Amino acid sequence: MIKKFRSYICVPSKGNYARGENRPKVDCILCSIAERNPEVQQKIVYENKDYMVVLNIYPYNPGHLLIFPIRHVEDFEELSSEEVSGLFLLTQKSVRLLKEVYHPHGFNIGVNQGEAAGASVKHFHIQVVPRYHSEIGFMETINGTRVVVETLDETLRKLRSKASILD
Ligand SMILES: [Zn+2]
């Protein structure tokens, strides 16, 4: 019998994370990224004086972004109105960037606040995840390319090459 295998996007580091291995021992992962702490993996797509856009290093899909204020803020209601508008504008531009690079069919755009809501990082951040009608083998529909694994550095290179969209 001939088995037909479908290609899929594989995120090999996810298992380690779920088991609590390889998690850096720092107070706040997002502050550590903003401070360029060398003990923390930093995949910075964009930054300005107030905000950062980084790759989630345990992505749901390639291009899974975290958008956050550099100032350590935990709760949505602690953000100033200027920060709310700054973060949402940057989120909107991030969606444009992902459309330009990955042509996804949809997005999850959201915030988890509090452990009960599934937040594993207290520092306020907005997540943007590109989504596809068929997430198994979906890369075959883009440029006819079969992609099994995209490394974080490949994702970073692609997004940084168009990061002027975020300015
Ligand atoms: Zn923080």
Side-chain angles (χ1 to χ4, degrees):
M1 198 177 86
I2 297 166
K3 273 191 177 173
K4 198 176 171 198
F5 291 100
R6 304 180 73 179
S7 62
Y8 59 95
I9 300 291
C10 168
V11 185
S13 56
K14 198 89 188 175
N16 289 341
Y17 183 74
R19 287 190 295 274
E21 297 163 18
N22 300 338
R23 279 195 230 186
K25 309 278 183 286
V26 293
D27 289 338
C28 174
I29 186 82
L30 297 184
C31 284
S32 299
I33 291 171
E35 290 159 6
R36 303 277 200 296
N37 180 337
E39 287 172 38
V40 169
Q41 221 189 136
Q42 298 153 36
K43 301 295 178 189
I44 300 167
V45 176
Y46 173 84
E47 67 180 307
N48 60 32
K49 72 181 192 9
D50 298 313
Y51 312 109
M52 276 191 147
V53 179
V54 303
L55 299 185
N56 184 331
I57 61 167
Y58 306 104
Y60 187 87
N61 273 337
H64 182 167
L65 298 178
L66 306 179
I67 297 135
F68 60 94
I70 289 170
R71 177 172 91 90
H72 182 94
V73 178
E74 297 193 354
D75 293 343
F76 189 42
E77 65 271 25
E78 285 175 32
L79 294 168
S80 69
S81 52
E82 191 190 7
E83 286 171 326
V84 170
S85 81
L87 283 167
F88 272 77
L89 283 170
L90 196 50
T91 301
Q92 187 184 50
K93 290 173 182 174
S94 297
V95 166
R96 283 187 196 130
L97 171 64
L98 290 169
K99 275 192 176 173
E100 176 75 22
V101 174
Y102 287 105
H103 312 284
H105 304 130
F107 293 91
N108 290 118
I109 300 165
V111 175
N112 298 333
Q113 181 169 307
E115 252 178 72
S120 54
V121 172
K122 286 183 176 169
H123 190 134
F124 180 87
H125 58 282
I126 300 171
Q127 304 200 35
V128 178
V129 185
R131 302 300 303 265
Y132 303 86
H133 291 305
S134 167
E135 297 200 342
I136 296 179
F138 71 86
M139 293 300 280
E140 290 178 282
T141 64
I142 301 168
N143 306 326
T145 311
R146 175 175 285 239
V147 177
V148 176
V149 176
E150 179 170 292
T151 66
L152 290 171
D153 286 331
E154 284 171 291
T155 304
L156 195 60
R157 184 184 53 73
K158 286 182 190 171
L159 293 175
R160 275 190 183 159
S161 74
K162 308 257 182 182
S164 59
I165 291 172
L166 301 177
D167 277 327

